[in-house]
Amino acid sequence: MRKVLVTGAGGQLGLDVCDVLSGEMPPGAAVGRLPAAKMGRISGYEVIRATHDLLDITERSVVMEAVSTIRPDVIVHAAAYTRVDDCEHDQDMAFAVNAVGTRNIAEAARRYGAYVAYVSTDYVFDGASDRPYVEWDIPSPISVYGRSKLGGEMELDGEWSAVRTSWLCGARGGNFVKAIVGAYRDGKPLKVVNDQRGCPTVTSDLAGMLGWIATERLPGVFHVTNRGAASWWDVARFIVQELGGDPNIVQPITTTELDPPRAAPRPPNSVLDNMALRTADMDYMPDWQDGIARLIRALDET
Ligand SMILES: NC(=O)c1ccc[n+]([C@@H]2O[C@H](COP(=O)([O-])OP(=O)(O)OC[C@H]3O[C@@H](n4cnc5c(N)ncnc54)[C@H](OP(=O)(O)O)[C@@H]3O)[C@@H](O)[C@H]2O)c1
């Protein structure tokens, strides 16, 4: 049996990726509606779940030892220091995990012959463009997190996969969808920024495509998001509507009106055009509204 090692296996994406690679459906998955062979039905792999406590990617010797012992065929590298605002205050930690940690994974993969699929971010772009970003646009990150994740991309060999995604929300982990569902049900006022546009993406959909790209060993950069673009305000309105409420209770605000202000600047436009998938007729990702509606149902079931 082939082996796939998943870093960050305890994170919201890592948990769903492990499900998919084990042939199971993560919560909220689009069961029966996606090309099963390509998304969500991967078989023949033993999945090694490298959670943070088992494998700290900043420890070079630990990474080398783990990869030399396990000898994975594929590494899905989803571990990262993801607290975007904290990265502004702790640049060394951000780079230690996201850039040096990826260097360690890459070195071990090279030495022991593993294929790497790295998860990257829309925040490698500055957001100044007035159109969606394609895979071949030149990154220009404006936050420490974005710079450190780009640093991780720079550690990859050209024949590996870099999967850039955005605005993740899954059933297991803290995220925007859970925050809005909770605030709405608690009757709290909803003020949401309307001047950042991106591609909301549910982890169950991404996990299928990521698992497929990794196990098929598709080289190069891929933008992988749910289809369609939105502002956070659009997303919050949709969530309230799905919960049976009046979307007009969601008040739009600007990023500068956020209280407290966020430490890290966000790209105003981080919409990712999934051009590499689309032009290869592989754009199987559902609309973001479809994904978030499934996620809300999954949250109620768990
Ligand atoms: N969330 C988003 O909106 C978003 C958008 C674009 C791209 N991404 C990328 O998608 C990937 C998955 O993100 P996510 O949302 O699933 O984040 P997450 O829930 O924070 O998962 C990241 C995981 O990495 C682990 N980790 C942190 N430092 C580590 C270290 N030194 N060694 C090993 N593991 C470590 C974390 O463990 P602890 O919790 O124990 O620290 C956590 O389990 C990341 O590469 C992220 O950069 C995320």
Side-chain angles (χ1 to χ4, degrees):
M1 207 178 203
R2 289 165 294 176
K3 290 181 181 173
V4 55
L5 183 141
V6 179
T7 71
Q12 63 171 349
L13 175 62
L15 284 161
D16 284 5
V17 172
C18 288
D19 280 354
V20 164
L21 293 168
S22 308
E24 294 163 18
M25 286 289 175
V31 183
R33 287 195 290 117
L34 300 170
K38 298 185 170 57
M39 294 183 65
R41 287 284 164 79
I42 295 164
S43 60
Y45 280 90
E46 178 190 348
V47 181
I48 293 97
R49 298 168 185 253
T51 51
H52 191 171
D53 54 331
L54 294 176
L55 180 68
D56 183 338
I57 60 168
T58 65
E59 299 284 345
R60 178 177 172 274
S61 60
V62 172
V63 172
M64 298 302 279
E65 170 76 21
V67 176
S68 86
T69 308
I70 296 164
R71 298 294 173 114
D73 299 280
V74 178
I75 299 174
V76 176
H77 177 29
Y81 189 66
T82 56
R83 290 193 287 278
V84 174
D85 293 306
D86 291 349
C87 287
E88 295 296 313
H89 306 299
D90 199 347
Q91 170 165 278
D92 280 7
M93 174 66 97
F95 274 83
V97 179
N98 298 340
V100 179
T102 304
R103 174 173 293 186
N104 294 337
I105 294 290
E107 183 190 357
R110 252 178 238 119
R111 183 170 300 179
Y112 299 107
Y115 186 87
V116 177
Y118 169 68
V119 184
S120 192
T121 172
D122 53 333
Y123 285 8
V124 299
F125 295 114
D126 61 18
S129 174
D130 57 6
R131 58 161 178 77
Y133 288 92
V134 301
E135 288 84 346
W136 296 270
D137 282 321
I138 306 296
S140 176
I142 54 175
S143 63
V144 171
Y145 171 75
R147 285 169 46 223
S148 66
K149 290 292 293 182
L150 180 61
E153 287 190 18
M154 292 162 72
E155 297 297 333
L156 304 177
D157 290 354
E159 71 269 21
W160 291 338
S161 321
V163 172
R164 291 194 192 124
T165 190
S166 62
W167 294 24
L168 288 187
C169 39
R172 299 168 289 191
N175 56 59
F176 180 81
V177 174
K178 282 189 176 177
I180 296 295
V181 169
Y184 171 74
R185 288 188 168 149
D186 291 346
K188 292 188 179 149
L190 293 169
K191 294 182 182 181
V192 180
V193 294
N194 193 27
D195 57 357
Q196 295 170 31
R197 284 183 73 72
C199 301
T201 302
V202 298
T203 50
S204 60
D205 289 342
L206 171 63
M209 188 61 86
L210 171 62
W212 184 56
I213 287 171
T215 53
E216 290 291 315
R217 301 175 177 233
L218 302 182
V221 179
F222 290 88
H223 289 175
V224 183
T225 65
N226 278 122
R227 283 189 204 198
S231 71
W232 291 114
W233 179 67
D234 296 326
V235 181
R237 283 172 58 87
F238 178 78
I239 294 166
V240 170
Q241 198 161 16
E242 280 295 300
L243 295 172
D246 175 4
N248 293 323
I249 65 169
V250 185
Q251 194 182 326
I253 59 170
T254 63
T255 302
T256 53
E257 290 175 293
L258 276 172
D259 184 22
R262 303 292 185 265
R266 268 47 173 195
N269 163 36
S270 67
V271 177
L272 297 180
D273 184 346
N274 292 202
M275 182 177 270
L277 290 179
R278 201 180 58 254
T279 54
D281 288 334
M282 298 192 304
D283 186 8
Y284 304 122
M285 294 294 281
D287 292 344
W288 66 262
Q289 294 93 334
D290 180 88
I292 287 181
R294 270 184 280 117
L295 173 57
I296 291 171
R297 287 196 294 276
L299 291 176
D300 282 340
E301 286 161 10
T302 52

